[in-house]
Amino acid sequence: MESTKLFLPFFTLSLLSGLGFARHHHHQHRHLQTSKLFVFGDSYVDTGNTSPSDPNYPKTPYGVTFPGHPDGRFSNGRVLTDYVARIIGLKSPIPYRVVEKEGVEGAKDGVNFAYGGTGVFKTGYDLPTMTTQIDFLQHLIANSTFTPQDINSSFALGFIPLIVRVVKQIGVNLKRIHSLGVKKISITALGPLQCVPEITSSSDFKHCNSSLALLVDFHNLLLRQAVDKLNKETNDSPFFILDLHAAFLSIIQNKGDPQGSIKFETPLQPCCYGASPGYYCGSVDEDGQKKYVLCEDPNSAFFWDEVHPTQQGWIAALTFLISAMKQHV
C-alpha cells in the first residue's frame, strides 16, 4: 500500500460544560503504513501543546503512569495519539508549540496541532479552534515544511463532539481538509457522554444518564447524515465514521474489551477525582495539600478523571477502532 499521511481531528466534549473537559499490548498492523501523522483537536489527543504556564495544564497526578510526571497529556499516561502513531510505525508527532519555538527539525513523524480545552468554535479558553489548527498546517505547507506531495495520499480521522450547527461547521472543516488532498477522512462518533464520570458522579458512578443519551444519539444521527451528504458531494467517498460511541459503551457494559484481556470491574468509577464538590483531579488547596482521590492502580480504571480515559482505557477502545480502520484504509 502507498505510504499515506494520517490526520486525527479530535475535539473537546464541550456539550456538557460549554468550556470543554480539558481541565482537570500494543497492536501492530503492517498494512497501515504512513510516513507522517498530523493531529487536530483537544485534550483527547493533545500530547504537549498546552503550556505548563496555562491554568488549564494537567498537573500531578497526570502522567503518573507515563512518563512519570505531568507532560501535557490529559490522562495518567499515553493517549489515543500515541497509540495510533505506534500502530502506523511512527513516534508521536511533535507538538506544534515545540515547532513554533524550536523549528521543524523534529517534525519527521508529523505535527500535533491539538490543544486541550479547545473546540470547533471558541470555548472559554483562548486556544486555537479547529479552523485555526488547519491554518497552522496550511502555513507549514506554504513555507514548504510539508509539500503538497506530502499530503496527496492522506487519511484523516476525526472525533466530532458537538451538535446541530457545530456538525454543519465540521462539514465545512472536513471539506477543507479534503481539499488539501486528503483521500480518506474518518470521523469518530460522539462517545457516550451520559456515562462519563462528570455525569455519573450523581449516582455514585453507578448509572449513566438516559436523558443525555437521547441527545448523544441525536448528535450521532446528524453526524451520519452529514457524512452521507459529504460523500455524495465527492467522487471518491472519502468520509467514514469510526464508532467510538459503540466502543466505549461495549467496554462499560462488558466491563472490559471484547477479548476479555482487559478488565474494568467498575468502569464508571474514575481513578482520579475531587475529594469533595468544587475539586477535581489534580486539585490542591491554598496550602498545597491535595484535594483529590487517586486509585491504587490506574490500569484497573477505564476513566482517568471526569471525562478522559486512562491509558488502559484507550488501549481497550483501540480494539474497536483498529478493526474499522482496517476496513477502510
Side-chain angles (χ1 to χ4, degrees):
M1 171 183 166
E2 184 180 3
S3 178
T4 63
K5 317 297 178 295
L6 181 65
F7 288 76
L8 291 171
F10 282 68
F11 290 91
T12 183
L13 303 176
S14 56
L15 176 63
L16 297 181
S17 67
L19 297 179
F21 286 131
R23 179 188 68 197
H24 7 75
H25 333 112
H26 166 46
H27 303 274
Q28 289 185 338
H29 295 271
R30 298 184 183 278
H31 67 287
L32 293 176
Q33 297 178 355
T34 67
S35 63
K36 283 179 172 48
L37 172 64
F38 297 94
V39 184
F40 304 96
D42 83 328
S43 57
Y44 264 35
V45 287
D46 186 353
T47 56
N49 277 314
T50 305
S51 171
S53 62
D54 193 307
N56 193 44
Y57 186 76
K59 302 176 178 64
T60 302
Y62 287 81
V64 64
T65 301
F66 172 85
H69 55 82
D71 72 337
R73 287 172 170 82
F74 292 80
S75 182
N76 64 302
R78 296 175 176 87
V79 296
L80 188 59
T81 299
D82 300 300
Y83 289 108
V84 172
R86 184 181 296 183
I87 288 166
I88 59 180
L90 301 173
K91 296 180 180 178
S92 285
I94 185 173
Y96 183 68
R97 185 169 67 91
V98 177
V99 172
E100 287 186 300
K101 289 183 177 180
E102 303 177 7
V104 298
E105 290 186 7
K108 65 182 183 65
D109 291 302
V111 178
N112 187 335
F113 300 98
Y115 284 78
T118 191
V120 176
F121 298 120
K122 283 290 185 182
T123 64
Y125 301 109
D126 186 20
L127 297 167
T129 63
M130 179 181 187
T131 300
T132 304
Q133 292 174 27
I134 298 172
D135 289 340
F136 293 159
L137 175 61
Q138 284 199 309
H139 173 70
L140 294 179
I141 293 173
N143 68 15
S144 299
T145 298
F146 302 111
T147 67
Q149 290 72 30
D150 283 331
I151 312 299
N152 281 341
S153 55
S154 300
F155 169 68
L157 172 67
F159 173 66
I160 310 303
L162 305 177
I163 49 179
V164 186
R165 74 185 186 95
V166 177
V167 170
K168 184 179 296 185
Q169 181 61 40
I170 285 166
V172 172
N173 290 337
L174 293 177
K175 287 173 68 174
R176 184 179 169 197
I177 294 175
H178 184 250
S179 73
L180 296 177
V182 182
K183 301 302 182 185
K184 282 293 180 181
I185 303 171
S186 172
I187 305 93
T188 313
L190 178 59
L193 302 185
Q194 68 271 19
C195 298
V196 300
E198 184 165 88
I199 297 300
T200 62
S201 61
S202 61
S203 67
D204 196 26
F205 308 114
K206 289 183 171 59
H207 305 291
C208 300
N209 183 304
S210 58
S211 297
L212 186 55
L214 295 175
L215 187 59
V216 172
D217 290 344
F218 176 64
H219 170 275
N220 284 336
L221 172 63
L222 292 181
L223 181 62
R224 287 193 296 271
Q225 293 173 344
V227 168
D228 288 343
K229 183 175 184 292
L230 286 171
N231 279 327
K232 289 178 181 178
E233 293 173 352
T234 57
N235 294 325
D236 51 352
S237 296
F239 304 95
F240 65 95
I241 293 176
L242 292 182
D243 202 344
L244 190 66
H245 184 271
F248 277 27
L249 271 187
S250 177
I251 291 168
I252 291 169
Q253 292 168 355
N254 296 305
K255 298 185 177 181
D257 70 336
Q259 284 71 37
S261 58
I262 299 176
K263 295 291 186 182
F264 304 115
E265 291 303 321
T266 54
L268 299 181
Q269 174 84 40
C271 178
C272 184
Y273 55 95
S276 58
Y279 295 106
Y280 50 88
C281 181
S283 286
V284 295
D285 62 19
E286 59 274 11
D287 297 320
Q289 298 298 310
K290 71 175 187 178
K291 302 296 292 184
Y292 58 88
V293 177
L294 184 64
C295 69
E296 292 185 5
D297 179 15
N299 285 338
S300 68
F302 176 62
F303 284 108
W304 166 246
D305 60 12
E306 295 96 330
V307 292
H308 303 99
T310 60
Q311 174 174 293
Q312 192 79 335
W314 278 122
I315 292 174
L318 278 168
T319 303
F320 294 81
L321 301 183
I322 290 172
S323 175
M325 288 169 65
K326 289 170 62 178
Q327 295 177 21
H328 292 278
V329 176

